[in-house]
Amino acid sequence: MAEVLTEPQFQIFTHSKTGVKTGRIYFPALFLADYHEIISQWLQRHEILFNEQDIKHYPDGSFRLYFRTINSLETEYLQLIKPLTGSKQ
């Protein structure tokens, strides 16, 4: 049986040649259903940089996002997630 994710999955990738860091977040459909408006507002912030090609939509309503930021990738992710999940990550 497949595992149903209820919270986003976050990773940081570092380009092997350039050293540029990119964040990746997978937003599960169940999480999006509960926090759609807040996530939309976060994505519209000027600090969060991405293009249309950085987004992959899945048939179940979930999506994956690759993003960059002038700030710490982890800090930006935690700024979104901590208030929503009460997480101590």
Side-chain angles (χ1 to χ4, degrees):
M1 178 178 262
E3 179 183 353
V4 176
L5 298 173
T6 58
E7 292 191 11
Q9 304 296 303
F10 174 70
Q11 291 180 292
I12 296 174
F13 295 99
T14 303
H15 192 280
S16 61
K17 294 183 181 175
T18 65
V20 172
K21 294 184 185 274
T22 303
R24 179 176 76 179
I25 305 174
Y26 170 74
F27 290 99
L30 291 173
F31 189 83
L32 289 168
D34 290 338
Y35 303 112
H36 180 268
E37 185 64 33
I38 294 167
I39 293 167
S40 294
Q41 290 172 3
W42 182 81
L43 291 171
Q44 293 175 37
R45 293 181 52 230
H46 294 289
E47 296 86 357
I48 307 302
L49 309 170
F50 63 94
N51 298 318
E52 186 65 33
Q53 66 202 33
D54 296 326
I55 303 171
K56 177 163 181 166
H57 298 272
Y58 295 99
D60 67 354
S62 63
F63 74 93
R64 179 192 68 212
L65 169 72
Y66 287 95
F67 74 99
R68 290 157 309 287
T69 180
I70 57 173
N71 303 320
S72 160
L73 292 164
E74 186 173 21
T75 299
E76 291 295 346
Y77 172 72
L78 291 175
Q79 185 173 341
L80 169 66
I81 299 304
K82 273 189 172 182
L84 303 179
T85 63
S87 173
K88 294 178 173 66
Q89 295 179 355

